[in-house]
Amino acid sequence: MRGKEVVVKRIITLNVNGEEFEFLTEVHRTLLEVLREDLGLTGTKRGCDLGTCGACTVLIEGKPYLSCLTLAADVQGKKIVTIEGLAQDGEPHPLQKAFVQKGAIQCGFCTPGMILMAKAFLDENPNPSEEEVKQAISGNICRCTGYTKIVEAILSLTHK
Amino acid sequence: MNKLDVVGKREPMLDAWEKATGRARFTDDLAFPGMLYGKILRSPLAHAKILHLDLTGAEKVTGVKGAIGGEDIPKKKYGIVPMAKDEYALAIGKVRYVGDEVAAVVATSLDAAEEALSKIQVDYEELPAVFDPVEAMQPGAPVIHEEVHNNVSASIRKEFGNVEKAFGESDFLFEDTFETQAVNHCPLEPQAALAVVDPSGKVTLYASTQIPFFLRRNLATTLDIPESKVRVIKPKVGGGFGQKIDLYAKDFCAAFFAMKTKKPVKFVYEREEVFTSTRQRHPMHIQLKTGMRKDGTILAQQFKVIADGGAYNSTAPLMITLACYFIMLPYRLENLLFEGYHVYTNKPVGGAMRGHGIPQVRFAVEAQLDHVAEKMGIDPLDLRLKNAFQAGAPHPAKLRVQTCGFSDTLKTAAKGIGWEEKRGKLPFGRGVGLAGASFPSGVSNMSHISSGAMVKIERDGSITLLTGAADIGQGAETVISQIVAEELGVPLEDIRITAADTEITPLDPGTFGSGVTLRAGNAAKIASQEAREKLFEAVAEKMEVNVKELEARNRRIYVKGSPERGMSFKEAIKFYQYSDRPMPIIGRGSYQPPAKEPTTLLKEDGNFSPAYSFMTQAAEVEVDTKTGKVKVLKMVASHDCGKAINPMLVEGQLEGSVVGGMGQALYEEVITEKGRVLNPSFLDYGIPTAMEAPSITSVEVETNDPEGPFGAKESGEGTQLAPAPAIINAIYDAIGVRFKTLPVTPEKILQALDEKKKE
């Protein structure tokens, strides 16, 4: 759908971070592209565009999805949460606090995806073992931290 | 040393909240009205002449605003090491590797730009290619750069002491050959550049770079415009590890098209491009001969190192030089003969990566030392302790080592891993190993080796800090701010920092060679002291005391030892102002390594760095003898970082570096076939995930270096020198097989176990 070829555009409605957005866009565009380029929500990162790094993870109905492999048109009417929408009433999510205070953030490029993945995981499994935490975030790549402080930050919020 | 309030504290990074909430802006997060999107056409061939480049098809695509080849952009070579410049923004005449830049387009959308790339016609005449550096050195091998006939673009041959004589006096000689692989840095943020031209014609380039000032200079020379017409701003950078020390086509093309179209232009590399067309750790072929006296003294070493440089130089001369000189630390070595070659091949390009030329040779030395120890019946730890370099000792290459905690790192790492209880005593399949290393705290290059800083005390008592230092996620801005806060006696929250903007902030070489904390930290410290002295003068006059009697702490300035005899920081500023002293209160600082520097080591010996860090890594591994998989259970990273300005960030540096080193030991390799990268994605490359990450214990050995700010030295980069040999040595302890080729994959383990069975 490029250049002079026929480009199919549709009006798409998305619910992101509790707000409704309506816009006209090509049907082939991914949720990652729309979030970053149309909605200005650049907290969702593009690390590979292939679904291999996890930096673009967002929550759709509370579940983690790779927004680079998700078409925007397919998630209309669903509740989408990006890193910008994680704080509640101006109060950062406990995971955001833990990541900051435990030194789990270095360059910060993997951080939004990592935090959202951790949130979805802890919502399902509030008392995980260290091994379970590692498995849960194994699709989210970090080159800076060696994962040590990320795992510590997530474990600090479990009820053990 | 006095009690410290801010330095030495586990402070979160200043920008951690921005990053945790998605507000941090990286280059690709920026957008300007009317912005164009750029893409680069890359060579599908490893070595070929460009006979004809036809851009007309691309130009006809709707939305395309420009298309260029190498002939359309000023024909000026660029390179991070001035003497080794060998690259054009886009290829001229021929391409030298799969992924080499052939043409660039910009369009109103990325889709249109991609469409345009597919319409570019290139006629190539394929040339014979060479992929093995040893073959590339042979007479008659394909010539990759016309001016370099044997493809050896940088070499070094150095002898210290008398190696032949020392070998003659040796009781034991050991000879081994080692091979290391191509490793990609894998920063999570792909390379990006965004150029904007203002009405005066000045270009501002936002770039994912570790070296804003080098980039400015290279942009100016390459695009043939004055340096004053270029401004480089570094937004947040998503990791670099050395890869973003270099300059890329995206930088030149973004700036060129912005100047040409008068529109903002953005280039962002795809992950595949990061793998194929940026930089990687040089694979090395290493021959090592070591002479030992029977008491365990390392008498002499001889190296022949062939580094596979890929198609261009990048840091070639520096890389091969570092490999040579850092053989002579962390052990005493009087006699060294080092012969090293950087060889062009038609493959992805080598560059600086965390450790820069040293991890490869360090792997060889440390792996061989374990074997030496075993053959001589000495505990590998004792052998290392016996030969450990000590502070103040004369160095054959005249490196001046004022502080050296190497022996302590050996002891603490050994203790941490349970050396006494475990080595040689664990069941088959389990083992421990260790390895040591040393790294400079900043390197003196041929230029730009001075860091500057400016500290302004504002009327409301807050502090504005300008530094050229380029924070790429390691926390440089936080550490430098901690230094300023400590000097001025204010909490960290009072500091506002602006960094890495070539128009506003003072010159800084950038983030490489592990010099940021020491160099930029010292500059900021000096600037803080100068600003503080100005304030002290006003306070001293008011209080009728000597300036030397004053100290600043807890937002107060008072007579040392008597906090009640003084005034608040804000009151002091008021007195300063009311006494008609010149406002604003500014302190300036710049720091350059002392003594005979700068030496480049390329031409002469001399002290290369203001300080040297020392480290030991210890590993415990478990080898699954059925699957060949190695699990690293635990790593202890013991590091003499001089003084940890922020222990939490130092730990973070060590942990990340250890896992990277583990990846290189066991999983990671950029695999090429006839020059084509076969695994240019995270899925196929083998980057460690959380599942592989071992438990890591960090031990900070503090030696308080007199040259470092508050005693600080390097941390984090040197850490990546020793994990691979530590793990390889642990694998030997586990299964009795010595591996000399990285990475040690399950296939290699199984094959080795099979062979062992046959014996």
Side-chain angles (χ1 to χ4, degrees), chain B residues 402 517-518 522 525 591 610-611 645 704-713:
Chain B
Q402 299 196 79
T517 297
L518 193 146
N522 268 331
K525 192 166 188 272
Y591 173 83
I645 305 284
N704 290 314
D705 195 275
E707 197 55 43
F710 296 97
K713 302 193 281 192

Side-chain angles (χ1 to χ4, degrees), chain A residues 19 28 31 33 51 62 76-77 80 82 86-88 98-100 105 107 112 114 117 119 121 135 147 149 152 154:
Chain A
E19 269 187 84
H28 68 266
L31 179 59
E33 289 169 331
Q76 298 184 83
I80 300 161
T82 70
L86 196 56
Q88 293 289 322
F99 268 60
V100 168
I105 300 171
C107 87
M114 197 69 89
M117 178 57 81
K119 180 191 181 319
F121 170 67
Q135 192 152 19
Y147 307 99
K149 295 200 180 327
E152 274 172 26
I154 297 170

Side-chain angles (χ1 to χ4, degrees), chain A residues 1-5 28 36 40 42-43 45-48 50 52-53 55 83-84 92 96-97 100-103 105-112 115 131 134-135 137-138 141-149, chain B residues 12-13 16-17 19-22 24-26 28-29 62 111 114-115 184-186 188-190 237-239 241 271 353 472-473 648 651-653 655-656 659-660 668 681-683 687-691 693 696:
Chain A
M1 302 299 113
R2 292 160 170 166
K4 282 180 183 169
E5 294 168 46
H28 68 266
R36 290 179 54 81
T42 55
K45 301 300 179 201
R46 186 198 326 255
C48 71
L50 289 168
T52 61
C53 77
I83 192 69
E84 290 92 342
Q96 289 172 309
K97 287 185 199 169
V100 168
Q101 284 153 7
K102 299 277 178 191
I105 300 171
Q106 288 188 31
C107 87
F109 204 81
C110 75
T111 305
I115 288 178
E131 221 34 45
K134 285 182 167 182
Q135 192 152 19
I137 60 164
S138 63
I141 289 172
C142 169
R143 190 59 147 174
C144 295
T145 65
Y147 307 99
T148 312
K149 295 200 180 327
Chain B
M13 277 189 204
W17 277 114
K19 290 169 175 172
T21 52
R25 292 275 183 270
F26 297 77
D28 189 26
D29 299 337
T62 310
D111 284 352
E114 280 169 8
E115 168 81 0
N184 193 276
H185 309 60
C186 298
L188 256 281
E189 177 209 23
V237 171
F241 316 108
R271 179 54 58 185
M353 180 180 175
I472 58 167
M648 187 164 78
E651 281 168 21
Q653 282 298 303
E655 290 157 359
V659 172
E668 296 180 38
S681 82
F682 285 133
L683 207 56
I687 190 169
T689 73
M691 292 297 284
I696 302 172

